[in-house]
Amino acid sequence: MKVPATMRALRQTSLNGPRDLRLVTDAPVPSPGPGEALIRVTAAGVNFVDLSQARGTFPAGPKPPYLAGIEGAGEVVAVGEGVTGLEPGAHVIGVGITGGAFAEYMALPSAAAAAVPAGWADEQALGLVVSWPTALAALKPLGGVTEGQTVLIHAAAGATGQAAVRMAKHYGATVLASASPGKHDVVRELGADHVIDSLGSDLAAEVLELTGGAGVDLVLESVGGATLEASLAATKRVTGRVVVFGMAAGDAAVTNRELVYKHQVHLIGLNIGVLAQAAPRIFGELMGEMFALIADGVLAPARPTTYDLADGPKALAELESRATVGKLALLP
Ligand SMILES: NC(=O)c1ccc[n+]([C@@H]2O[C@H](COP(=O)([O-])OP(=O)(O)OC[C@H]3O[C@@H](n4cnc5c(N)ncnc54)[C@H](OP(=O)(O)O)[C@@H]3O)[C@@H](O)[C@H]2O)c1
């Protein structure tokens, strides 16, 4: 396939958020460096991290102007030096944390690219390398969920949350799913046992009531801000775990005093990129388990809400304003 010299792409021009994400038509098509594959992007996943990067709250994130987007799926058109096992024509999905997915072509680190499952369209694989492994890591290797336990899942109607609800139910947990009122039917359909209004006034009290005062065994905490305190208060004393992997509502502080005298729980941090690099064996097992869940039909092909590449700023703004459900995709 002939690769053009320039392409359409979304360039972030400031750290003022998605409104300064601009469509350009003359971005240079990257050449694949050593260990990289160049893909013709057919679908790019929108993730909350795109907002953190666009607002400059992602530590050591890209400096504007930069081509945005970390998750790309598409067809391999060229490979760089040292790449083995990936041929042009293969369909893969991968992550490039420094950006470039919101474009017609993207250079991906080939080691972290996964094959799009047979029979799936590229856009149906969105989630496979970010949202789903994060949800699984929070539940299993870090959260230690077992059958019969109770799990509180925040942002349960979101891309990561939906996968978490499905998997937690598969592992035999009772799921308390928190979401905005307009999204409650979605999480009920996924199998959530109890639905909690994420805009409600006393989440901790509601969870304690639903658990007979005991609290939940595990919280998937991706919200932060004032919600972190509610999550800690809603967790079972001594054995309960809170896996912190997001901060959509901002920073929150927990003191050593609080852990000793107020919230005697296990507080666990998760970043899927660091997990993949620092604990490759755990990550390998995680991906193996995820593909088994796909084979068993627990994780079904994604049905993302799609936007034209040019509407990327709108997609990000909707994600930021909590207006979205499930995975979002930009189609170049
Ligand atoms: N650490 C990691 O490696 C990692 C990897 C992937 C994702 N994450 C995190 O997981 C979370 C979910 O990511 P996602 O991409 O799947 O997004 P998402 O869940 O599809 O969308 C975010 C959802 O968070 C909820 N939310 C609660 N407070 C919010 C606030 N103040 N502003 C915006 N949203 C708020 C909203 O749901 P309701 O309105 O229904 O409450 C919103 O729809 C994010 O925090 C993300 O940073 C972390």
Side-chain angles (χ1 to χ4, degrees):
M1 174 183 289
K2 184 155 167 33
V3 177
T6 58
M7 62 182 184
R8 291 163 78 238
L10 288 174
R11 181 178 285 148
Q12 183 70 35
T13 58
S14 79
L15 294 179
N16 294 326
R19 70 178 169 172
D20 283 340
L21 188 59
R22 306 263 158 81
L23 185 73
V24 294
T25 54
D26 59 353
V29 171
S31 351
E36 288 184 338
L38 181 70
I39 64 166
R40 181 179 59 80
V41 179
T42 55
V46 178
N47 290 281
F48 213 84
V49 68
D50 299 317
L51 288 170
S52 316
Q53 293 192 344
R55 295 234 172 252
T57 56
F58 184 78
K63 302 260 176 299
Y66 66 89
L67 294 193
I70 64 144
E71 182 183 16
E75 181 187 357
V76 175
V77 291
V79 293
E81 207 185 301
V83 174
T84 52
L86 255 195
E87 300 292 334
H91 284 255
V92 297
I93 175 160
V95 173
I97 198 66
T98 52
F102 298 166
E104 290 176 292
Y105 292 87
M106 175 192 196
L108 275 178
S110 67
V116 171
W120 289 23
D122 294 340
E123 72 183 50
Q124 294 177 315
L126 293 175
L128 208 82
V129 286
V130 185
S131 319
W132 299 357
T134 302
L136 182 54
L139 283 169
K140 274 293 227 45
L142 298 182
V145 73
T146 55
E147 193 170 351
Q149 292 194 335
T150 305
V151 183
L152 169 62
I153 298 174
H154 289 289
T160 310
Q162 287 201 21
V165 173
R166 277 179 191 272
M167 291 189 278
K169 286 309 300 171
H170 173 73
Y171 294 126
T174 297
V175 171
L176 279 56
S178 168
S180 290
K183 310 175 189 176
H184 287 185
D185 287 347
V186 173
V187 285
R188 268 194 206 96
E189 273 166 36
L190 288 166
D193 299 278
H194 303 281
V195 181
I196 295 171
D197 181 0
S198 58
L199 306 178
S201 55
D202 198 344
L203 182 131
E206 206 172 328
V207 171
L208 289 171
E209 196 183 323
L210 285 166
T211 54
V216 293
D217 296 291
L218 173 63
V219 184
L220 267 52
E221 181 26 272
S222 61
V223 175
T227 300
L228 180 64
E229 167 67 21
S231 295
L232 293 166
T235 303
K236 196 176 275 180
R237 304 297 91 172
V238 184
T239 57
R241 291 88 61 198
V242 180
V243 179
V244 175
F245 61 96
M247 38 193 301
D251 287 294
V254 184
T255 64
N256 53 355
R257 176 168 293 277
E258 284 168 331
L259 290 172
V260 174
Y261 291 108
K262 193 174 181 193
H263 298 307
Q264 297 83 1
V265 301
H266 303 238
L267 195 53
I268 302 161
L270 163 62
N271 178 300
I272 198 67
V274 172
L275 190 153
Q277 275 178 2
R281 189 184 55 77
I282 296 176
F283 187 71
E285 288 168 6
L286 189 75
M287 292 305 277
E289 177 143 1
M290 198 184 70
F291 278 102
L293 293 173
I294 289 171
D296 290 347
V298 176
L299 291 171
R303 284 181 294 153
T305 303
T306 58
Y307 301 73
D308 189 79
L309 182 68
D311 291 328
K314 179 169 175 271
L316 266 78
E318 288 177 1
L319 180 66
E320 192 165 43
S321 65
R322 308 173 73 154
T324 64
V325 167
K327 191 74 192 175
L328 313 180
L330 303 188
L331 308 183

